[in-house]
Amino acid sequence: MKSSTTIFSWCVSLMLSSALSLKAQSLLPSPSGEASRYEAYIELPRGYLSGVCIMRCAGDTLRGSIFNEFGVSAMDFVYDRRKDRVRLLSVMKMMDRWYIRRTLRSDLRLLLRSMNAGEGEYRNERRHILYRFTPMADSLDTPHPHDTEE
Amino acid sequence: MMKRTILTLCCLLASLLATQAQNTDEAAIRRRLNEATARINALSCDFVQTKHLSVLKDKMVSKGRMCYKKSDRLRWEYTSPYTYVFILNGNEVLLRNKNRSDVIDVDQNRMFREIVQIMLSSVVGNCLDDKNFKSSLKSTAAEYVATLTPQRKNMKQMFRLITLHFNRDNACVTRVELTEKNDDRTVIELNNIRLNEKLDDNLFLVR
């Protein structure tokens, strides 16, 4: 009786710890420096931006680029994980206003925090902006005959 | 002194002749390309798009298919690693991704009008005489290369330079390079180009 209770407790603990570790699995790129790719979707009150986000970690610094499906850049950013601060390196012209940049910096910081906690979505309730970054299956970066020429 | 003067005059004459020859060559190439693009009523191909990211020193490769029907029907479809469809039919554009589907009236949206214009011109290659670009042409053994510098503010904000590569044999666009202000570069290579084949109108339905 005692041993079956022990086994049962052990099983429950194992299940709980597995569930917790799954939940906490970060969606951010690993510190090894390998780039991670995400399908990016940003929904705004009067429009949306969809495309791809690529991020790469180097030590405490995470660098990212967001661009649409046609390859047109939306923004480039750097996230300092230690200071928990986002710096925008470039922003597309229609979003290049100080108040938009301020919102983007803050929202990206909170989104990246969410992604670190395993959640790929962040919603700015005040501004009604939804950010959804979904990890891509390994993209087909198969070597193209012309790539080697460049 | 006399010899030096004659030598200077000869050099000036040589450079003038070279410039004139270059202008003549460029005019001939332009004429040939314009004649070829005028003959394109339909075009379909596969494409490989490579986005070179300057900040990350990385690249992203996407693949898809494109269909064009003269003069305002275009279907640009990404098949991997994401699915995305852009369809132009007259003054309407359909954008469809896995999250949503939207139809936009190009006449009501100036930015979209410019984007559509750029896409059509790049695919067909008929922007050489477009006043919205400053263009220059050169030829190599295998191809003609047109370099376009946007002149309009909206387009300048998106692209610093657009380069079109034309096949010398059939004067078709085979490669488009879009260079942005942040030095990111997108290269689109067109393969398996099929000209003037019949295309189903259903490919261009937006509703």
Side-chain angles (χ1 to χ4, degrees), chain A residues 24-53:
Chain A
Q25 192 175 14
S26 174
L27 296 177
L28 294 180
S30 70
S32 64
E34 205 172 311
S36 290
R37 290 161 167 73
Y38 309 85
E39 287 191 26
Y41 178 70
I42 303 172
E43 191 173 277
L44 304 145
R46 286 190 293 181
Y48 71 96
L49 169 69
S50 69
V52 177
C53 175

Side-chain angles (χ1 to χ4, degrees), chain B residues 137-156:
Chain B
L137 276 167
K138 64 175 187 185
S139 68
T140 68
E143 58 183 11
Y144 301 123
V145 181
T147 305
L148 308 167
T149 309
Q151 300 295 292
R152 286 171 62 88
K153 186 181 166 191
N154 281 350
M155 198 52 64
K156 271 166 118 168

Side-chain angles (χ1 to χ4, degrees), chain A residues 46-88:
Chain A
R46 286 190 293 181
Y48 71 96
L49 169 69
S50 69
V52 177
C53 175
I54 298 184
M55 291 196 269
R56 174 179 274 140
C57 229
D60 285 330
T61 304
L62 188 145
R63 285 179 175 260
S65 277
I66 302 173
F67 49 93
N68 73 7
E69 288 85 353
F70 296 102
V72 178
S73 296
M75 64 191 90
D76 298 323
F77 62 90
V78 176
Y79 175 53
D80 186 325
R81 297 175 88 151
R82 210 163 27 94
K83 293 179 185 172
D84 189 30
R85 195 183 292 169
V86 167
R87 187 162 55 97
L88 294 172

Side-chain angles (χ1 to χ4, degrees), chain A residues 117-133:
Chain A
E119 178 60 55
E121 194 169 298
Y122 167 70
R123 192 180 288 270
N124 180 330
E125 298 289 356
R126 190 172 164 216
R127 305 264 182 233
H128 308 292
I129 306 172
L130 167 68
Y131 299 81
R132 187 184 297 138
F133 282 26

Side-chain angles (χ1 to χ4, degrees), chain A residues 96-107:
Chain A
D96 200 3
R97 306 279 186 272
W98 66 266
Y99 48 90
I100 298 177
R101 288 176 82 108
R102 185 179 62 181
T103 301
L104 282 172
R105 279 198 303 271
S106 165
D107 286 354

